[in-house]
Amino acid sequence: MTGLLLVTACSATDRPSERADGPLRTGLTDTERGLLGEAEQRLISDCMRDKGFRYGLDLDTDGPRGGVPERRFGSDDVAWARRHGYGLAEAARSGDGNGSGKAAVAGNSPQARYVASLTPGRKATFDRALNGTDRAAIVVPAPGRGQIFTSADGCLADARRRLYGDLRRWTEAKAAVVNLEYLTFDAVVKEPRYTKALADWHSCMKARGLAHSNSSEAIGAVAKENRSRTAGKAWKHEVTVAVADAECNRAAGLARTGIRLQREHVRDAARHEFARQTRYYTRAVTTALTRARSLPDSTSG
């Protein structure tokens, strides 16, 4: 999902500093995400071992998306489109269109086989040790998306507390910060600079005989139309539309404009409406990265 003692709740000296030096953080690099994910898994593994269970490191969780271009505002990566189209045909061939391929691999992992080998009683004890006694012990708002529920005890909670400090504050801060792009999206796409770029993209696509309102609509149309085509014709059509989409996006500056405007809106939201959560997120992540780098290599398995 080392040689350390059982993970416990952090003391006052373990809490992130109440000052956030430097710029506010609203995300992580892939390298930082990997480092923190690995540290969390190592802490969980040590904790579970001390409780009498084996917990194999799952270091592929929440990692990079394997080079798939960002499509929040469409993609201007023409070279990627020429090689992969929209990625629809490849996803269908791999069985990963809905994540089922990855789930199948996870279900056949050494850790999954170990859990499956446990008796029902031991499985229940394993689950409590990992996920705690009440998965809804902590409830925090997830702006624009309802609420998030998480445990206050168990090895997963203890690992996150060890890394990020106060678990309720961390959960609330992360829930707000990771949603900032979602929360600001509607404001971004209403910006005159964005609507102008989108109109230019639409005109470019229309000139090529592709009258779609946006890239998402184009992808949906390709997926629908290709159901009645042979694999070869479907692939050719997908690449044709995807390349036109990317070329028009680049010519209109659509993705560049959207990303630039979203950064502005996210920065403003982080400084004002969600300043409290963003300050804690920044302090907690900064502290967690230092802690993660100090962890010795795991010897568990």
Side-chain angles (χ1 to χ4, degrees), residues 272-293:
H272 299 104
E273 185 179 0
F274 298 99
R276 176 177 58 82
Q277 295 94 328
T278 309
R279 284 195 298 269
Y280 189 83
Y281 180 89
T282 300
R283 294 192 299 268
V285 164
T286 301
T287 302
L289 287 168
T290 299
R291 291 171 177 164
R293 294 185 183 103

Side-chain angles (χ1 to χ4, degrees), residues 72-84:
R72 186 176 293 108
F73 307 106
S75 171
D76 60 4
D77 192 335
V78 178
W80 197 93
R82 287 198 179 103
R83 292 193 303 272
H84 306 281

